[in-house]
Each structure stands twice: as C-alpha cells, then as structure tokens.
C-alpha cells in the first residue's frame, strides 16, 4: 500500500511496531513545503468535518512547519496577523 503523503516523525515506528513495513523518503525543503501545503488542505477538511479542537492543533502544527520552511518566525506571523486585524 502506498500513501505518498507527509507524516509525523513517529508514524514509521508505529507502523513497524504493528508488524508492517514502510519506506520513508526524506524530501528536500522545497518539495516538503509543497507536501505541507497539501497537508494543510487535508487538515482544514478534517477540521471542517469533525469540528474537533484536536484538528485545530494539527492545523497549527502544519502552519508552524510551513512558516519555518518559508523562513518566517512565529513572531513575524503574529505581527502580520495583528496588522490584518486592525
């Protein structure tokens, strides 16, 4: 079975502990950013379906990784957010 999507670091270990095999590919940052942007859409869809606060936490995790890959700090993002709210 092939999933071809971004995963959290511990997922391969969980898969292996269950007795299954998996292959992990470490992507260069530009390719990983594209995957994280796809993941952002998936997480938004999951939140809209469930309305679960846990899905909001997943969204934040993806957002944190995207801004890191784009070279933006959380402080800079917060300034942008505050500017937009005014």
């Amino acid at each position: 079975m092939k999933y071809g999507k971004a995963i959290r670091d511990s997922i391969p270990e969980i898969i292996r502990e269950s007795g299954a095999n998996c292959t992990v590919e470490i992507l260069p940052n530009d390719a990983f950013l594209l995957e994280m942007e796809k993941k952002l859409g998936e997480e938004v869809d999951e939140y809209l379906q469930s309305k679960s606060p846990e899905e909001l936490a997943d969204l934040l995790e993806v957002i944190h990784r995207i801004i890191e890959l784009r070279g933006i700090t959380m402080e800079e993002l917060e300034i942008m957010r505050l500017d937009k709210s005014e």
Side-chain angles (χ1 to χ4, degrees), residues 1 3 5 11 13 17-18 20 26-27 30 33-34 36-37 40 46 49 58 61 69-70 75 77-78 81 84-85:
M1 184 180 312
Y3 286 101
K5 59 192 276 183
I11 298 297
E13 286 130 26
E17 286 172 3
S18 75
I26 298 174
L27 300 174
D30 57 340
L33 175 59
L34 293 174
M36 284 287 91
E37 289 170 342
L40 182 64
E46 289 175 16
Q49 292 293 317
D58 289 344
E61 184 176 343
L69 289 164
R70 290 199 171 273
E75 292 79 19
L77 188 65
E78 182 64 9
R81 186 192 71 77
K84 288 184 140 267
S85 71

Side-chain angles (χ1 to χ4, degrees), residues 7-9 11-13 15-16 22-27:
I7 57 169
R8 290 186 175 89
D9 293 338
I11 298 297
E13 286 130 26
I15 292 170
R16 289 181 187 115
C22 68
T23 303
V24 176
E25 179 182 358
I26 298 174
L27 300 174

Side-chain angles (χ1 to χ4, degrees), residues 30-58:
D30 57 340
F32 189 59
L33 175 59
L34 293 174
E35 292 302 316
M36 284 287 91
E37 289 170 342
K38 288 180 199 173
K39 185 76 171 167
L40 182 64
E42 291 172 17
E43 295 298 344
V44 167
D45 289 342
E46 289 175 16
Y47 170 73
L48 292 173
Q49 292 293 317
S50 71
K51 307 293 190 223
S52 166
E54 290 177 0
E55 293 301 336
L56 290 174
D58 289 344

